[in-house]
Amino acid sequence: MEVEDLLHRLESAYDVEDWWPADSPWEVMVGAILTQQTVWESAEKVLDEMKKRGLMTVEGIDRLPIGELETLLRPAGFYRQKARSLKALATHIRERYASDPRGLLTKETEKARKELLSIRGIGNETADAILLFAAGRPCFVAAKYVSRTLGRLGMIDSRDYIEVQRFLECRLEPDPAGYAKYYALFVQHARSTCRTRPRCEACTLHDDCSFSPGRETAGSPPRPRTRARR
DNA sequence: ACCCAGGTGGCCC
DNA sequence: GGGCCACATGGG
């Protein structure tokens, strides 16, 4: 199946209105970190609380004691890591751009990307989400969901982030609005049917998919044990 | 009880 | 480059 066919099929199956609501580029940046490996609703709780307390600013995060930030982030999970990531981001923006995120977001795409990746807690996907949703750049967010879906469809072999991203960007016009929509479609599809444990019976692409459950799910891998805490 | 979540960094080979 | 692990709360 060709990429364009796939996207059309997904488009007719899912609804993607208002995928990344935010009042400012900075809120997108904060949200990008909060939603790492976390459902949007959980990240949103924290975003709302931050706004309510007047902390949705670079200075607000930069000045808030790390302990208080951690407490604030608890509902979004991985709260210690995310607190450090947000601190690193806010400090970076304060030191280099006088607390104005636009200083970074208006840079040339590749330079901005490298700079984002140099910040602890920001990896490929978070950097691209920021570039796409906060800066409006045509950077495809090649989430795990994207590589999983394309991989099972037999459209690509590698699961390497950059490889998957290149695969898509080579086949699509560099259109930010389109990339945002497509990303949302992949996420919804992978979450609803092309899951870790796939629901092929319920999949809208079932008849055109080469994936046979058994190859990838045979002998389900041992899950990580929850370590006794405290 | 299980599965899953809009990833990242560290360590190892 | 790939595989494994810790990180954590919260909802279905």
Side-chain angles (χ1 to χ4, degrees):
Chain A
M1 189 173 355
E2 296 301 314
V3 170
E4 302 234 341
D5 300 327
L6 169 61
L7 295 174
H8 281 128
R9 298 275 296 273
L10 295 178
E11 200 164 0
S12 59
Y14 305 98
D15 178 26
V16 294
E17 287 309 302
D18 203 20
W19 180 250
W20 200 307
D23 298 331
S24 68
W26 174 245
E27 189 178 327
V28 174
M29 298 172 90
V30 174
I33 287 173
L34 293 185
T35 196
Q36 288 170 353
Q37 193 63 22
T38 301
V39 295
W40 179 256
E41 289 68 27
S42 297
E44 198 170 36
K45 274 183 204 161
V46 175
L47 292 173
D48 289 343
E49 185 61 24
M50 284 178 66
K51 284 192 264 192
K52 192 173 161 189
R53 297 198 202 174
L55 292 171
M56 189 54 81
T57 61
V58 174
E59 296 92 331
I61 298 299
D62 188 52
R63 289 201 271 256
L64 190 66
I66 187 78
E68 290 181 36
L69 184 57
E70 287 178 352
T71 302
L72 182 62
L73 296 193
R74 286 190 68 157
F78 298 121
Y79 62 91
R80 289 193 192 107
Q81 286 192 168
K82 289 175 181 175
R84 276 182 182 77
S85 302
L86 283 181
K87 276 286 185 186
L89 175 61
T91 301
H92 182 97
I93 301 292
R94 171 176 60 77
E95 288 176 344
R96 303 218 192 185
Y97 306 104
S99 299
D100 185 354
R102 284 176 301 176
L104 171 49
L105 297 176
T106 56
K107 279 193 167 184
E108 189 270 322
T109 301
E110 279 314 305
K111 294 199 183 292
R113 190 167 199 284
K114 278 190 180 149
E115 199 171 314
L116 284 167
L117 289 175
S118 76
I119 298 169
R120 161 135 213 173
I122 297 184
N124 283 314
E125 188 170 337
T126 303
D128 287 326
I130 289 171
L131 288 169
L132 178 61
F133 292 101
R137 308 306 174 84
C139 298
F140 205 106
V141 182
K144 168 183 59 179
Y145 291 144
V146 177
S147 51
R148 184 201 292 165
T149 300
L150 291 175
R152 285 177 177 167
L153 283 167
M155 294 172 69
I156 189 170
D157 292 324
S158 175
R159 307 265 154 138
D160 176 74
Y161 185 94
I162 299 299
E163 288 286 319
V164 176
Q165 181 181 49
R166 182 159 32 228
F167 174 84
L168 288 164
E169 291 187 356
C170 282
R171 289 165 176 73
L172 297 168
E173 294 301 313
D175 167 33
Y179 284 12
K181 180 168 63 179
Y182 306 148
Y183 165 66
L185 290 172
F186 275 113
V187 174
Q188 290 184 74
H189 178 251
R191 216 164 40 187
S192 59
T193 65
C194 203
R195 307 155 65 119
T196 304
R197 195 188 302 273
R199 294 179 172 173
C200 295
E201 343 71 58
C203 182
T204 179
L205 305 173
H206 186 43
D207 295 340
D208 301 284
C209 185
S210 59
F211 179 67
S212 57
R215 199 170 9 150
E216 199 174 299
T217 52
S220 56
R223 287 182 307 94
R225 281 213 160 272
T226 313
R227 221 177 358 115
R229 296 206 56 75
R230 338 228 39 219

